[in-house]
Amino acid sequence: MAPLGDGVAPVAAAAAPGLVVSFGEMLIDFVPNVAGVSLAESGGFVKAPGGAPVNVACAVSKLGGSSAFVGKFGDDEFGHMLVDILKQNGVNTEGCLFDEHARTALAFVTLKSNGEREFMFYRNPSADMLLTEAELNLDLIRRARIFHYGSISLITEPCRSAHVAAMRAAKSAGILCSYDPNVRLPLWPSAQAARDGIMSIWKEADFIKVSDEEVAFLTQGDAHDEKNVLSLWFEGLKLLVVTDGEKGCRYFTKDFKGSLPGYSVNTVDTTGAGDAFVGSLLLSVAKDDSIFYNEAKLREVLQFSNACGAICTTKKGAIPALPTTATALDLISKGTN
């Protein structure tokens, strides 16, 4: 299992106090070049880098923050292309590895006419699933201010054990843990296996972001019934955020709760919107985690995150559509719905 090499130096070590380290999968999304058609009907596909944890890392970097990615790639053209994209986007790649014996994961994504997506995955197994605990760059993880992860890395061994080890190393070092489950049911053996797997590490997180659809899935109840949302709360959690798509978001802390409206934009592709939201929020937390305890500050930060998520839906693909600070502030100045 070769670390990043070929005579190319990784992005310089980020010792910044606000470093956000993302853990998980990066893959190639093949997106139909025409929206609203099935995969079978599509005449062609555009390849785009994908993977929620890496979208978050790129979002942090594009907004001027410091980010790194920990994960494994196939030692193939797609794998090297993806790591090059990370470098081009200013993401630290010290935690990236190549596997000579497995391919980089692929996903075919159907874009419905309203910009929503359906997925068909090719990873049997892909390199990201084969990351082992022994291969983790724990030094990089321990330099983080925030360690961010999803749930796809929990589905199979050995990656699940690597995920848990990385998370526990971060917690023992006093690093904030951020969890965005990003439910992808086709990858799990069953819906109940997904619920069980996602909830198995639920109480390790300091901050959790879920979509309204994920609340409905995890609680098997109405996502807009606050009782169901609060069933996901636990003692020790600092912030729970529920994103409601174009309607905005709801937030819950130990001391206060509320909601903020979203922004009306011309939605083309929702890919990466939640990741742009999370990246923006993590960047703010990495700079000043008093937002967990100051509602006025939190509302200002979430307003900015709502704008970042909205902007990301106005172009195809996730990473190319990620906003800059200037574009987010411009949308905020125009007002909400």
Side-chain angles (χ1 to χ4, degrees):
M1 313 309 173
L4 215 65
D6 300 330
V8 179
V11 173
L19 177 64
V20 176
V21 174
S22 277
F23 175 92
E25 70 286 347
M26 188 178 188
L27 61 157
I28 303 281
D29 284 341
F30 285 91
V31 184
N33 53 11
V34 177
V37 298
S38 70
L39 294 178
E41 292 167 338
S42 179
F45 296 88
V46 177
K47 70 178 189 294
V54 85
N55 293 341
V56 169
C58 289
V60 169
S61 179
K62 194 162 182 182
L63 290 168
S66 175
S67 68
F69 180 68
V70 174
K72 196 182 234 186
F73 301 80
D75 190 7
D76 50 38
E77 285 198 31
F78 284 149
H80 288 276
M81 180 194 94
L82 289 175
V83 173
D84 285 343
I85 287 169
L86 288 178
K87 293 177 185 176
Q88 291 158 18
N89 282 274
V91 177
N92 179 314
T93 57
E94 286 178 68
C96 297
L97 296 162
F98 291 112
D99 191 316
E100 299 173 2
H101 306 293
R103 295 295 190 199
T104 300
L106 308 178
F108 285 83
V109 186
T110 304
L111 271 184
K112 298 180 187 175
S113 53
N114 63 356
E116 290 293 338
R117 303 149 297 152
E118 289 178 351
F119 296 88
M120 184 165 70
F121 294 93
Y122 287 79
R123 48 197 308 268
N124 293 307
S126 52
D128 60 286
M129 301 162 70
L130 301 177
L131 180 68
T132 66
E133 183 177 345
E135 293 171 318
L136 290 171
N137 186 331
L138 292 177
D139 177 60
L140 174 64
I141 292 167
R142 291 182 180 122
R143 293 207 307 270
R145 179 74 187 97
I146 298 172
F147 182 62
H148 175 73
Y149 47 86
S151 68
I152 289 174
S153 44
L154 297 171
I155 298 173
T156 55
E157 293 290 0
C159 190
R160 178 186 166 79
S161 290
H163 179 140
V164 171
M167 185 176 62
R168 294 203 169 138
K171 284 186 74 69
S172 65
I175 292 156
L176 291 169
C177 287
S178 163
Y179 188 20
D180 179 357
N182 265 297
V183 175
R184 297 287 181 266
L185 278 181
L187 294 176
W188 291 88
S190 67
Q192 193 55 48
R195 282 189 202 94
D196 293 343
I198 288 164
M199 297 306 295
S200 69
I201 61 164
W202 195 259
K203 294 186 179 180
E204 303 288 337
D206 295 289
F207 156 69
I208 296 173
K209 172 259 166 188
V210 280
S211 69
D212 51 352
E213 290 178 350
E214 287 164 344
V215 170
F217 172 71
L218 292 171
T219 67
Q220 300 183 71
D222 181 359
H224 300 286
D225 183 337
E226 194 170 290
K227 175 170 56 68
N228 291 327
V229 176
L230 290 176
S231 73
L232 299 173
W233 181 266
F234 60 89
E235 188 64 35
L237 186 61
K238 293 178 172 65
L239 175 65
L240 174 65
V241 174
V242 180
T243 52
D244 291 311
E246 63 188 18
K247 295 175 186 172
C249 67
R250 290 170 277 164
Y251 59 88
F252 302 84
T253 75
K254 183 166 65 77
D255 300 315
F256 49 79
K257 63 185 180 182
S259 63
L260 279 162
Y263 290 86
S264 182
V265 294
N266 181 26
T267 296
V268 174
D269 176 8
T270 60
T271 305
D275 306 324
F277 179 100
V278 170
S280 163
L281 182 51
L282 295 186
L283 175 62
S284 297
V285 172
K287 289 177 180 174
D288 179 10
D289 65 8
S290 73
I291 68 165
F292 292 138
Y293 314 104
N294 183 319
E295 187 170 12
K297 278 187 184 178
L298 179 61
R299 287 182 67 85
E300 186 178 337
V301 164
L302 291 174
Q303 181 185 44
F304 186 78
S305 295
N306 276 345
C308 288
I311 289 165
C312 195
T313 70
T314 61
K315 294 181 189 173
K316 276 190 183 176
I319 293 173
L322 292 170
T324 62
T325 300
T327 55
L329 291 175
D330 181 58
L331 180 58
I332 289 170
S333 71
K334 294 173 181 172
T336 55
N337 290 333

